Amino acid sequence: KELIKNDIPVFSDSSNEYIDTIEIQTIINLLKILDNPIDDISLVSVLRSEIGKFDDNEIIEIRLCKRDGSFYDSLNVAKETLEGELKNKVIAFLDNIKKWRKESEYLSLAELIWKIYVDTGFYNYVSLMPNGALRQANLKMLYERAKEYEKTSFKGLFNFIMFVERLKSGNSDMSSAKIIGENENVVRIMSIHK
């Protein structure tokens, strides 16, 4: 991470932090709320991300609209009771969630993921972040892995989320995308066995 932060090209065979990258976590959390909108942690995470674009004060204001129940309930109450720009942001966010939930019924998982990238501009946004090319490659890899996953006997959003959670909890994390090869002029990080 420090090498990347200092713009030093680096190659590692054993990058096990793929699922924990901010771009993958954001998309996985969005998929979780499409499957189950009352998942408060995932919902607030997406609200605070570049997809939701809500700041902490706006999130508090939304929560104050309905203090008990799920945060999704608070959003629905806020849609009716708030005024101005924040109300418009809440309506737009809820409309997107509703639209993607409906589309998840007939689109393949990979098509849904790519549609989210396009609708939100998130794929282009990550390219502007530090190490943007790698972040875009990670998102592309998630799309490809969703395509591969749907070729198995398991299907659907819920099963894919459970698959990713099992990988994460089992310490068998998927490796990150590689945008530079080991034969290029880079710093190579390897195990002592190599």
Side-chain angles (χ1 to χ4, degrees), residues 1 9 28 32 42-43 62 71 92 103 111 125 163 175 184:
K1 286 180 181 177
I28 295 297
K32 284 180 181 179
S42 297
L43 180 57
I62 291 166
F71 202 92
E103 290 169 343
E111 290 171 328
Y125 169 76
F163 167 71
S175 65
E184 295 185 39

Side-chain angles (χ1 to χ4, degrees), residues 158-176:
F158 176 78
N159 287 324
F160 183 71
I161 292 166
M162 290 297 101
F163 167 71
V164 171
E165 290 298 315
R166 278 193 304 275
L167 285 175
K168 190 174 180 179
S169 65
N171 287 332
S172 59
D173 199 1
M174 298 183 271
S175 65
S176 181

